[in-house]
Amino acid sequence: MVPTHILCHYGEIGTKGKNRRQFERKLKDNMKAGLKAACPGSYVEIRTVRGRIVIELTEIGRESLDCMKEVLRNTFGLVYFAPATRMEQKKEILEEAALEFVNTLPGESFRITTRRSDPNIPLSTQKMNEEIGAAVVEKFGKTVDLTQPDVNCHIDLVEDSAFVYAHRIDGFGGLPVGMGGKVLSMISGGIDSPVATWQMMKRGAFINYLHFHSVPYTSDASIKKVHDIIRIFQKHQLRTTLFLAELAPIQEEVIEKCHEKYRIILYRRFMFRIAEALAKREGAHAVITGESLGQVASQTIENMETIEAVTSMPILRPLVGMDKQEIVNRSKEIGTYDISILPDEDCCAYFLPKQPATKATVEQLQKAEENLDVEALVEGALDSLHKKVIES
Ligand code: ATP
Ligand code: MG
């Protein structure tokens, strides 16, 4: 049976009360933008019908289903979707379709799962399941299995139509990108910050990126990695902005004027100051990092406190309670791992101290910074930011 539509379901959004309309509109806009960019001409219309979003396919869409599936799978907010065939809402027609489905798909057991979008629809779902099920048993001798059927023939009764399908495709769930406001992601090209970014994007945040590099003291490998990671995330958010910041002038000052054991924490405090200033300038409400409690010396709870003390903006650390292995697994799932493990030269690894402080206090750091013109260094970094708009 050739699919004529794709039925899309979006769990959590449905519960959002007054915001629901806005959520649905955002999700629909994101679906349209993704489909227009990757599979142009694939749909006639996309509309919300009683808690579902229904895509009507064009001829092109019917032939480019794989492309459409890929786009929908990566549109955050969709819990699952199913290519389906629209039919008249008549029992005889649906029975015939179900017979064909169960007969053509492999397997010995089946079930019929009828649902209706509202109680005014005259057909009884219970009766449909029983009577169509009985017809299948009689005609093909297959067995009914309600828990783990080989073929699950879904019949969704929506308004005055019926949609028939056998396969659901899972989406990631989450919320539509853009619903959660603008956020600035501090992205390093390592394993953690891309995963942190993905988590927040899945929760609807609209992401712009900030990457610090130490060129010419290091190569530009990390910059290239960040570009490649952003390209992967364009599946979820088509357009973004990347800011590249020079850390080297700050590092030169810190190396010359401060005790080496505070180097990393000082670099980090500068990174956070610059990130916050940029976030404010760009209308973002928070900064994301890939920190995870205790993973390295700069990520003890004491050092997080000392580093965060220079900002007043929310710092989002979606990985703070995750183990490294969990983060690695997730990065493989989302497709960033292979890029993240490519060799680069981390800007903070440049002149690394032998014994970094693990429990530095705010007072110690303030004292160390007395030797620096903090404001001028931050201003200098902001002035030399390199901005790149990235679109599909
Ligand atoms: P990651 O795997 O994300 O590189 P990490 O385990 O190397 O993290 P750190 O080097 O302590 O840990 O960095 C902690 C966080 O600080 C990173 O997750 C990232 O959000 C931010 N960060 C580190 N280096 C950079 C950088 N060069 N540019 C922007 N943000 C950075
Ligand atoms: Mg790193």
Side-chain angles (χ1 to χ4, degrees):
M1 243 176 290
V2 186
T4 57
H5 292 70
I6 302 179
L7 291 192
C8 306
H9 286 256
Y10 47 86
E12 190 169 1
I13 297 172
T15 66
K16 286 281 185 279
K18 264 192 271 171
N19 290 337
R20 178 172 167 160
R21 275 270 147 86
Q22 212 188 335
F23 277 80
E24 287 171 344
R25 200 169 316 128
K26 183 60 99 185
L27 178 55
K28 230 165 29 180
D29 286 349
N30 290 353
M31 289 163 64
K32 284 181 185 172
L35 289 171
K36 274 187 186 147
C39 355
S42 58
Y43 67 88
V44 180
E45 66 163 2
I46 299 184
R47 62 190 192 106
T48 317
V49 191
R50 299 199 165 259
R52 304 155 169 74
I53 293 177
V54 181
I55 305 175
E56 183 180 344
L57 304 180
T58 59
E59 205 60 52
I60 296 172
R62 291 175 199 191
E63 282 155 22
S64 56
L65 261 187
D66 285 343
C67 170
M68 297 184 78
K69 285 182 197 169
E70 173 73 6
V71 169
L72 297 175
R73 244 183 63 70
N74 289 308
T75 305
F76 291 137
L78 289 179
V79 175
Y80 67 86
F81 57 92
T85 307
R86 181 164 73 184
M87 303 188 174
E88 267 183 88
Q89 206 177 84
K90 285 202 177 127
K91 200 200 131 207
E92 314 77 68
I93 290 176
L94 294 170
E95 181 169 309
E96 208 167 297
L99 284 168
E100 189 187 326
F101 251 116
V102 180
N103 192 34
T104 46
L105 294 172
E108 278 316 303
S109 64
F110 77 100
R111 68 169 283 171
I112 309 290
T113 309
T114 312
R115 297 203 305 176
R116 53 181 185 181
S117 60
D118 62 288
N120 299 326
I121 290 173
L123 293 178
S124 146
T125 56
Q126 181 68 21
K127 255 176 125 172
M128 291 275 288
N129 293 343
E130 285 169 9
E131 292 178 11
I132 296 178
V136 173
V137 172
E138 189 181 334
K139 187 141 188 201
F140 303 116
K142 303 214 174 185
T143 49
V144 174
D145 181 345
L146 295 182
T147 46
Q148 272 204 312
D150 296 328
V151 178
N152 190 342
C153 177
H154 294 267
I155 303 174
D156 274 21
L157 308 173
V158 182
E159 295 182 319
D160 54 5
S161 306
F163 294 91
V164 183
Y165 63 90
H167 296 292
R168 280 181 175 181
I169 299 157
D170 287 334
F172 287 107
L175 301 172
V177 168
M179 263 340 277
K182 236 191 207 181
V183 171
L184 183 67
S185 168
M186 290 174 62
I187 188 151
S188 70
I191 293 174
D192 304 330
S193 43
V195 175
T197 305
W198 188 91
Q199 296 286 147
M200 294 315 301
M201 209 180 245
K202 182 161 98 77
R203 292 306 298 168
F206 183 93
I207 311 280
N208 286 330
Y209 300 88
L210 171 61
H211 175 66
F212 292 92
H213 63 83
S214 302
V215 177
Y217 296 101
T218 62
S219 76
D220 61 359
S222 69
I223 299 177
K224 171 147 194 327
K225 285 169 66 178
V226 164
H227 273 104
D228 290 346
I229 286 163
I230 292 176
R231 215 161 294 295
I232 290 182
F233 288 164
Q234 278 185 290
K235 291 189 288 199
H236 312 292
Q237 180 185 315
L238 290 177
R239 186 177 190 281
T240 188
T241 308
L242 166 64
F243 295 89
L244 297 173
E246 293 173 9
L247 200 60
I250 292 174
Q251 291 174 299
E252 285 165 3
E253 284 284 297
V254 167
I255 288 167
E256 192 189 320
K257 298 187 174 149
C258 308
H259 193 291
E260 66 163 24
K261 73 176 174 183
Y262 296 131
R263 260 177 214 169
I264 299 232
I265 303 178
L266 287 166
Y267 297 162
R268 290 241 166 272
R269 278 163 67 96
F270 276 103
M271 285 182 173
F272 274 52
R273 287 185 179 107
I274 294 161
E276 178 175 44
L278 175 64
K280 284 194 173 138
R281 202 180 80 185
E282 294 294 312
H285 302 282
V287 170
I288 305 171
T289 81
E291 289 161 299
S292 152
L293 184 59
Q295 199 188 86
V296 290
S298 59
Q299 297 174 20
T300 63
I301 200 78
E302 290 85 356
N303 284 349
M304 280 190 198
E305 186 183 16
T306 311
I307 293 165
E308 198 178 313
V310 298
T311 66
S312 57
M313 208 173 236
I315 306 296
L316 306 178
R317 298 182 174 90
L319 313 186
V320 74
M322 283 171 79
D323 295 345
K324 190 72 188 186
Q325 192 57 48
E326 292 176 282
I327 299 170
V328 164
N329 293 347
R330 175 50 59 88
S331 82
K332 287 179 180 166
E333 269 168 44
I334 67 177
T336 52
Y337 181 77
D338 290 340
I339 298 170
S340 293
I341 57 168
L342 293 174
D344 64 12
E345 294 170 88
D346 185 71
C347 63
C348 288
Y350 160 57
F351 283 125
L352 208 62
K354 279 174 221 73
Q355 293 252 293
T358 53
K359 290 188 181 183
T361 64
V362 175
E363 291 71 31
Q364 286 168 327
L365 267 294
Q366 281 168 345
K367 187 122 189 54
E369 283 170 357
E370 277 171 13
N371 304 322
L372 305 168
D373 187 344
V374 171
E375 216 168 292
L377 287 169
V378 171
E379 281 304 316
L382 287 168
D383 286 345
S384 60
L385 278 178
H386 184 77
K387 175 176 175 174
K388 264 184 111 164
V389 174
I390 300 175
E391 333 185 58
S392 302

